[in-house]
């Protein structure tokens, strides 16, 4: 990234405690038994994988798509589709497995794939809040089903990263959804994942049961398999301290969503095992310099000056943040992480230089300081944010904190209305093409910067390579 970069990026680790869940990998099939209680802060009230607001963290357990990421090497692996081929730059052919069943016993066919896509983009209900609705409509021209086990997808433009798009298209049972309707399906969801829903108690827990007819009885390394655990209970405990207490006392067997300042405490306990896994999950800040003025005061947007944006970057000692406020295993990177195609370990990153940050602010006309709003998810505030804000205050950048719910924070970026700096994250997938598409071009879904002709041209070239 150049010094005019829009973001500063930090790749992190997913941290889970005692995760010995059913969908383990590469083992021989056996009859599931026992119960596993897992605590987490999220409450899944809405489980429809085609809807933007659904709890996507449960997709791996309940639902499925044609293609998935291998859990070992991060590459694309066959799933519902046992194979695929590119017929021409804008035509992809997927061959589906035969005999894969939904939790209600219906076989998964190409008609379900087509229905799930068309449902997501609002063909049956224009107000349907489909997951990646806009992106899918822009990318996909048509979905054809010449037979029950063949899906042909035509794209509107050549897209070398289309497997990532197909991975996002979660498949739901057409007949079942049409019978229940959208609202009832979200309360009684059916997929073809290794678990099926038993009970949903809003605000309390979700109880799942091993799906005895899950298709993958002989998984290859890194693939999902039939569960070894008969009953999986995901219990909702909103506070981190309450989750940790449940783990310590044995009320819970596992915990998902461990904050970095908690992991070291748990590592010291002999009866608890902490598992760390590298992930292409970037944490970074979006800098909105598209806005010309502060919507509240009418003053000019200081972020339009590249020197102010550079000062934001130079002011932070990321090495210290990683060492003292995170697990120490995180690393600095660009929009492309270590596990993604195109990663460059020699890409330049900003050094910690507070004096240079002060000088840049003075040159930009802010020698006496500048105030900048900072938007973030109120449930995602960790001690590292306070440290970052203090780094900024030290060089003369006053932070006006703006905590939001996840939905409000999301909407602020998608509508381009969040003024200031926004805490953000993302970047899943082996190839960064789709990730780039939402972040880099001016019209990207999550882009809040000004257009740059050279960047736009490079983005177009990358998308077809």
């Amino acid at each position: 990234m150049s010094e005019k970069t829009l973001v500063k990026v930090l790749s992190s680790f997913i941290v889970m405690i005692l995760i010995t869940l059913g969908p383990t990998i590469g083992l021989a099939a056996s009859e599931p038994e026992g119960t596993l209680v897992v605590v987490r802060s999220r409450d899944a009230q809405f489980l429809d994988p085609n809807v933007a607001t659904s709890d996507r963290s449960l997709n791996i357990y309940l639902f499925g798509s044609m293609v998935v990421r291998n859990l070992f090497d991060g590459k694309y692996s066959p799933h519902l589709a046992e194979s695929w081929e590119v017929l021409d730059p804008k035509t992809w052919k997927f061959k589906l497995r035969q005999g894969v069943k939904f939790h209600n016993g219906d076989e998964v066919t190409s008609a379900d794939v087509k229905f799930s896509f068309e449902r997501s983009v609002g063909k049956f209900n224009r107000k349907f809040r489909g997951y990646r609705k806009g992106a899918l409509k822009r990318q996909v021209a048509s979905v054809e089903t010449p037979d029950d086990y063949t899906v042909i997808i035509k794209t509107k433009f050549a897209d070398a990263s289309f497997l990532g798009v197909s991975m996002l298209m979660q498949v739901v049972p057409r007949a079942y959804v049409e019978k229940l309707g959208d609202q009832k399906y979200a309360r009684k969801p059916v997929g073809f994942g290794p678990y099926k829903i038993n009970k949903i108690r809003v605000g309390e827990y979700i109880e799942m049961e091993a799906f005895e007819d899950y298709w993958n009885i002989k998984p290859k390394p890194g693939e999902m398999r039939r569960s070894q655990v008969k009953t999986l209970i995901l219990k909702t405990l909103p506070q981190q301290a309450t989750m940790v207490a449940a783990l310590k006392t044995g009320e819970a067997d596992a915990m998902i969503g461990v904050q970095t300042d908690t992991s070291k405490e748990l590592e010291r306990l002999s009866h608890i095992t902490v598992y760390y896994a590298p992930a292409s999950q970037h944490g970074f800040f979006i800098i909105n310099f598209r806005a010309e003025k502060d919507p509240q005061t009418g003053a000019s947007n200081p972020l339009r000056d590249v020197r102010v944006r550079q000062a934001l970057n130079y002011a932070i000692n990321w090495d210290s943040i990683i060492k003292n406020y995170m697990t120490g295993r995180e690393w600095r990177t660009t929009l492309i992480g270590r596990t993604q195609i195109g990663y460059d370990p020699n890409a330049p990153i900003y050094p910690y230089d507070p004096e240079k940050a002060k000088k840049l602010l003075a040159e930009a006309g802010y020698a006496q300081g500048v105030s900048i709003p900072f938007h973030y998810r109120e449930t995602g505030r960790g001690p590292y944010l306070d440290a970052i804000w203090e780094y900024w205050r030290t060089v003369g950048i006053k932070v006006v904190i703006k905590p939001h719910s996840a939905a409000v924070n999301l909407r602020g970026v998608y509508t381009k209305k969040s003024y200031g700096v926004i805490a953000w994250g993302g970047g899943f997938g082996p190839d960064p093409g789709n990730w780039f598409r939402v972040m880099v071009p001016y019209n990207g879904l999550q882009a809040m910067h000004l257009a740059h002709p050279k960047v736009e041209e490079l983005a177009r070239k990358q998308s077809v390579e």
Side-chain angles (χ1 to χ4, degrees):
M1 286 187 171
S2 71
E3 289 194 333
K4 295 185 179 180
T5 181
L6 314 180
V7 292
K8 40 182 175 290
V9 187
L10 192 70
S11 264
S12 65
F13 276 69
I14 294 176
V15 184
M16 296 184 180
I17 302 298
L18 286 178
I19 297 303
T20 54
L21 300 183
T24 50
I25 40 186
L27 303 175
S30 60
E31 289 299 316
E33 58 183 18
T35 298
L36 191 73
V37 178
V38 181
V39 289
R40 63 180 202 148
S41 61
R42 300 182 68 173
D43 178 31
Q45 302 181 27
F46 202 80
L47 297 176
D48 183 336
N50 295 156
V51 175
T53 54
S54 182
D55 186 347
R56 317 215 73 75
S57 65
L58 299 182
N59 283 355
I60 193 171
Y61 304 114
L62 299 171
F63 307 107
S65 53
M66 291 193 293
V67 179
V68 297
R69 285 187 68 196
N70 186 284
L71 298 177
F72 276 178
D73 57 24
K75 296 179 180 179
Y76 292 122
S77 290
H79 196 58
L80 176 59
E82 59 184 2
S83 64
W84 55 83
E85 59 180 312
V86 182
L87 301 183
D88 62 56
K90 292 194 275 188
T91 306
W92 294 71
K93 180 180 179 181
F94 298 86
K95 201 66 180 176
L96 305 187
R97 298 180 192 278
Q98 299 186 29
V100 177
K101 294 182 179 180
F102 286 113
H103 300 152
N104 65 348
D106 292 347
E107 186 180 12
V108 188
T109 69
S110 59
D112 299 302
V113 176
K114 180 179 175 69
F115 171 79
S116 300
F117 164 74
E118 293 178 342
R119 180 172 181 254
S120 296
V121 298
K123 179 179 179 180
F124 312 116
N125 177 1
R126 291 173 59 188
K127 295 182 179 180
F128 188 82
R129 295 177 298 169
Y131 180 59
R132 297 291 178 90
K133 181 178 182 178
L136 289 174
K137 290 178 75 172
R138 286 192 295 270
Q139 289 174 269
V140 179
S142 66
V143 179
E144 301 171 3
T145 55
D147 59 56
D148 285 348
Y149 306 107
T150 303
V151 176
I152 296 177
I153 299 179
K154 295 183 179 294
T155 60
K156 294 180 180 179
F157 49 84
D159 183 4
S161 302
F162 187 71
L163 284 180
V165 178
S166 69
M167 183 175 68
L168 298 174
M169 294 167 59
Q170 301 289 306
V171 182
V172 300
R174 175 179 178 177
Y176 182 80
V177 174
E178 289 179 335
K179 179 180 178 181
L180 266 66
D182 294 335
Q183 295 299 319
K184 288 185 178 179
Y185 173 73
R187 301 290 183 261
K188 297 181 179 180
V190 163
F192 62 90
Y195 283 98
K196 58 185 179 182
I197 291 290
N198 256 356
K199 299 176 186 176
I200 299 179
R201 295 289 183 266
V202 176
E204 298 182 39
Y205 67 89
I206 300 173
E207 182 178 303
M208 303 182 194
E209 182 180 324
F211 180 41
E212 62 277 7
D213 287 330
Y214 184 66
W215 64 273
N216 200 0
I217 59 175
K218 294 182 179 180
K220 296 176 182 177
E223 293 181 347
M224 299 289 287
R225 56 151 288 165
R226 283 186 182 176
S227 174
Q228 291 181 292
V229 177
K230 183 172 180 60
T231 304
L232 173 61
I233 298 175
L234 297 180
K235 191 173 181 180
T236 303
L237 295 176
Q239 300 300 320
Q240 181 86 178
T242 310
M243 288 195 290
V244 172
L247 195 67
K248 289 180 177 179
T249 61
E251 178 186 344
D253 303 303
M255 172 180 174
I256 298 179
V258 184
Q259 293 178 359
T260 52
D261 55 332
T262 304
S263 62
K264 293 179 181 179
E265 172 194 351
L266 294 171
E267 283 181 335
R268 292 193 291 266
L269 302 176
S270 60
H271 68 295
I272 291 177
T273 302
V274 182
Y275 293 92
Y276 296 90
S280 294
Q281 183 175 359
H282 302 58
F284 59 95
F285 303 145
I286 296 177
I287 300 175
N288 180 0
F289 60 96
R290 184 175 301 192
E292 292 186 24
K293 297 180 179 180
D294 183 331
Q296 300 296 322
T297 66
S300 297
N301 181 4
L303 296 172
R304 282 229 162 182
D305 193 313
V306 66
R307 293 168 294 190
V308 176
R309 302 198 298 273
Q310 290 169 347
L312 285 168
N313 283 278
Y314 282 118
I316 299 176
N317 186 343
W318 279 111
D319 291 336
S320 178
I321 294 288
I322 291 172
K323 178 181 177 181
N324 297 307
Y325 294 93
M326 298 185 179
T327 69
R329 297 169 174 82
E330 295 78 11
W331 60 85
R332 297 185 65 185
T333 182
T334 65
L335 281 176
I336 303 178
R338 290 182 186 177
T339 61
Q340 293 178 301
I341 298 170
Y343 172 69
D344 180 3
N346 299 313
I349 55 177
Y350 284 90
Y352 174 51
D353 193 338
E355 293 306 315
K356 186 167 185 177
K358 292 178 183 178
K359 182 180 178 182
L360 287 166
L361 287 173
E363 291 175 357
Y366 300 102
Q368 303 305 312
V370 62
S371 294
I372 297 177
F374 185 94
H375 305 265
Y376 66 98
R377 286 189 302 109
E378 54 193 353
T379 57
R381 177 172 177 173
Y384 69 94
L385 279 184
D386 292 278
I388 290 168
W389 297 337
E390 184 58 33
Y391 278 125
W392 282 340
R393 280 192 285 267
T394 300
V395 301
I397 300 170
K398 180 184 176 182
V399 179
V400 181
I401 62 173
K402 302 280 187 178
H404 304 294
S405 68
V408 170
N409 207 49
L410 188 75
R411 187 162 59 249
V413 171
Y414 284 7
T415 60
K416 319 296 184 189
K417 291 183 178 179
S418 286
Y419 173 77
V421 177
I422 307 97
W424 207 244
F428 299 95
D431 69 77
N434 293 295
W435 172 228
F436 269 29
R437 191 171 290 118
V438 300
M439 288 302 308
V440 176
Y442 177 78
N443 64 354
L445 185 64
Q446 300 170 23
M448 300 182 75
H449 50 270
L450 295 173
H452 189 293
K454 184 176 180 180
V455 171
E456 298 288 321
E457 178 60 24
L458 289 172
R460 284 191 291 269
K461 288 181 178 180
Q462 185 277 333
S463 69
V464 296
E465 288 183 2

